[in-house]
Amino acid sequence: MKTGRGRASAPLQGVKVVELARILAGPWAGQLFADLGAQVIKVESPAGDDTRGWGPPFVTYADGSEDAAYFHAANRGKDSVVADFATAEGQAKVLELLQDADVLIENFKVGGLVKFGLDYQTLKQRYPKLIYCSITGFGQDGPYSQRAGYDFIIQAMSGIMDVTGESDGPPQKIGVAYADILTGLYAAIGIQAALIQRQATGLGQHIDMALFDVMVGTLANQALNCLVSGESPHRIGNAHPNIAPYQSFQCKDGWIVVAVGNDQQFQRFAELIDIQLLEEWRTNKGRVEDRHALAAAISRRLSHWDCARLLLALEENGIPGGPINSISEALSDPQIMYRRMITEHIADDGTALPGLRCPIVFSDAELAEGKGAPRRGRQ
C-alpha cells in the first residue's frame, strides 16, 4: 500500500472548522475534517467534553492526567479551546474564532444557542459565508424536535433494532453507536457540498442533520422491502432477507460466514460441501423461499469441517466467506496491518497514543496524520 508520503497536501487544508459539539456525532464529523487537513478547533465548556470521562479504559498522560479512550476515538487532529458560553467573555471568544472560519458544527438542543447569540439566524448576519451545521436527534422542526436524541433511542425508534438479533430473541442494538457515526459522516458530506456551492453563490447556509432521519434513511433494502411488499421485516439472525445462503454457520471448531452472492457461486459451494443441488435451490429466489431447509442442509455438512480448512477451500473456489473475528483479531488482521489502519498519534506532551487511520486512501493527496486528540484547552 502506498503511504502517501511525498504526495500533494491534504485535500481540505486551509479550511477552518469551529466545533461546538460533544459526545460523538458532531465530533465524528469534526474529526473527519481534521483527517482531511482542515484546522478544527474544538470549543469545550470548562468541564470538557463528556466523553473525556467515559472510561475505563483511560489514556494516561506524562503528567498523570487522564482522558477516556472513548474521547480519543472521535477527536484526533483537533485543537481545544475552553469557553463558557454563559459569560460574555466566552461568547466573545467563540465570535473571534468565527472571524475567519468556514464551518461551524454544533449539536445543542434546538434553540439551545439562541440565548448565547450563537444560533444560525444571529451568526449569518455577521458571517454570511459561514456554513453552519446543526446535529440533533430529531431535526430542527417536527413534533419531536424538542426531544433529546441519543443513539440508543434512535436505534430503537428507527426500526434497526427490530431487524437485529435472532428471530426468537429480543431486539438488539448494534454494538457501535452507528446512528451517531453515520450522522457525523452525512454531516461531513453535506458540509463539503455546501463548501462547493459557496464557491458559486458566495454564501453559507444552515445544514439540519437529524439522527432519526439518518438512521431511517440508511435502512436501505430493509426499508424498500417494507415499502414494496407492505410487510415489515423482522429479525432473522445473521441471515440476509434477500439472499441465501448469506449467513453464519457453525463448523467443527468455530463459526464462519458464508456470503453466496449469485447462482454460480452457490453451485460451486454445493459441489464443495457435497449437498444435493435441488431444483428449488438453483436460483436465489428459490433459495430464499426455502431458506430454512437450505440452511439446515448446509449446517449438517459444515459441522464436519474445520474453520481454517473450509475458509481455504472457499477462497480456492471463489466462494465468499470469512471468519467471525473478535475486535482484537480484526485489529491484528494481516490485511488491516498492511493497510496501516492501526497507527500512532502523538499528544501535545509527546505521549504516544494508539489509534486508527481515517479509512480513505487518495492517489494524489495526504491525510493529516499523527496528531492525537487534544487535552482540554490545548493545541
Side-chain angles (χ1 to χ4, degrees):
M1 175 188 175
K2 296 178 181 178
T3 64
R5 293 180 177 84
R7 291 180 286 174
S9 62
L12 296 184
Q13 186 173 341
V15 173
K16 180 179 177 180
V17 178
V18 175
E19 179 191 300
L20 310 184
R22 63 271 189 222
I23 315 297
L24 189 52
W28 197 267
Q31 178 173 259
L32 180 53
F33 273 92
D35 289 338
L36 294 174
Q39 178 191 15
V40 180
I41 301 174
K42 183 180 184 68
V43 180
E44 301 186 68
S45 73
D49 189 307
D50 295 356
T51 61
R52 289 186 183 273
W54 283 14
F58 289 93
V59 169
T60 302
Y61 300 104
D63 63 4
S65 62
E66 294 181 326
D67 281 323
Y70 194 118
F71 175 80
H72 288 273
N75 290 285
R76 64 176 175 258
K78 305 175 186 177
D79 297 328
S80 172
V81 169
V82 174
D84 184 354
F85 295 170
T87 68
E89 180 185 5
Q91 294 163 23
K93 184 180 289 189
V94 176
L95 294 176
E96 183 180 357
L97 291 172
L98 291 173
Q99 289 287 345
D100 59 347
D102 299 287
V103 178
L104 183 150
I105 301 171
E106 61 93 5
N107 63 351
F108 283 74
K109 291 182 180 179
V110 173
L113 290 174
V114 173
K115 60 186 175 182
F116 306 123
L118 299 175
D119 58 296
Y120 174 67
Q121 293 301 326
T122 299
L123 291 180
K124 77 171 184 177
Q125 305 302 322
R126 189 166 184 165
Y127 311 110
K129 293 185 178 182
L130 182 67
I131 294 162
Y132 189 112
C133 180
S134 296
I135 299 175
T136 57
F138 298 96
Q140 298 294 302
D141 52 19
Y144 301 162
S145 62
Q146 295 302 315
R147 293 187 186 181
Y150 293 90
D151 179 276
F152 194 7
I153 296 170
I154 299 301
Q155 286 198 38
M157 294 180 65
S158 69
I160 194 66
M161 286 180 62
D162 196 41
V163 294
T164 304
E166 295 298 328
S167 57
D168 58 352
Q172 292 286 327
K173 71 178 182 68
I174 305 169
V176 174
Y178 278 118
D180 277 320
I181 289 175
L182 288 172
T183 303
L185 295 176
Y186 271 98
I189 293 168
I191 291 167
Q192 289 177 89
L195 285 168
I196 293 172
Q197 187 179 36
R198 191 180 66 176
Q199 294 176 3
T201 66
L203 297 173
Q205 60 183 296
H206 188 211
I207 299 171
D208 174 10
M209 296 299 311
L211 273 69
F212 197 28
D213 291 354
V214 169
M215 210 58 184
V216 171
T218 54
L219 289 174
N221 60 301
Q222 293 284 34
L224 267 293
N225 288 346
C226 180
L227 292 172
V228 170
S229 72
E231 298 180 2
S232 188
H234 293 291
R235 296 179 295 287
I236 54 174
N238 288 328
H240 194 289
N242 302 110
I243 312 171
Y246 195 102
Q247 65 188 84
S248 57
F249 292 99
Q250 188 170 16
C251 296
K252 187 163 58 176
D253 57 345
W255 290 82
I256 69 159
V257 164
V258 175
V260 169
N262 58 54
D263 298 337
Q264 293 73 31
Q265 288 176 0
F266 180 73
Q267 182 172 347
R268 296 197 299 273
F269 180 57
E271 293 172 356
L272 173 66
I273 66 171
D274 193 24
I275 60 172
Q276 183 180 358
L277 187 59
L278 301 179
E279 187 61 34
E280 56 266 35
W281 294 351
R282 291 185 178 275
T283 66
N284 181 69
K285 181 176 183 290
R287 293 193 297 275
V288 170
E289 291 173 346
D290 199 32
R291 67 164 68 247
H292 297 297
L294 172 65
I298 294 172
S299 294
R300 285 193 295 270
R301 299 302 301 168
L302 296 192
S303 66
H304 302 290
W305 284 75
D306 296 321
C307 287
R309 186 168 69 92
L310 178 58
L311 288 170
L312 179 60
L314 292 174
E315 184 172 356
E316 290 174 343
N317 285 273
I319 302 162
I324 299 178
N325 288 332
S326 67
I327 288 179
S328 178
E329 289 168 335
L331 293 174
S332 60
D333 187 281
Q335 181 70 11
I336 292 298
M337 300 301 291
Y338 183 87
R339 297 280 293 179
R340 294 178 51 249
M341 281 302 302
I342 312 303
T343 186
E344 184 176 81
H345 299 132
I346 306 300
D348 59 88
D349 69 344
T351 301
L353 310 169
L356 298 177
R357 173 180 66 78
C358 174
I360 300 174
V361 178
F362 297 99
S363 68
D364 192 30
E366 295 272 9
L367 290 171
E369 298 182 274
K371 182 179 178 181
R375 287 193 285 175
R376 187 169 63 253
R378 303 280 189 93
Q379 295 186 349

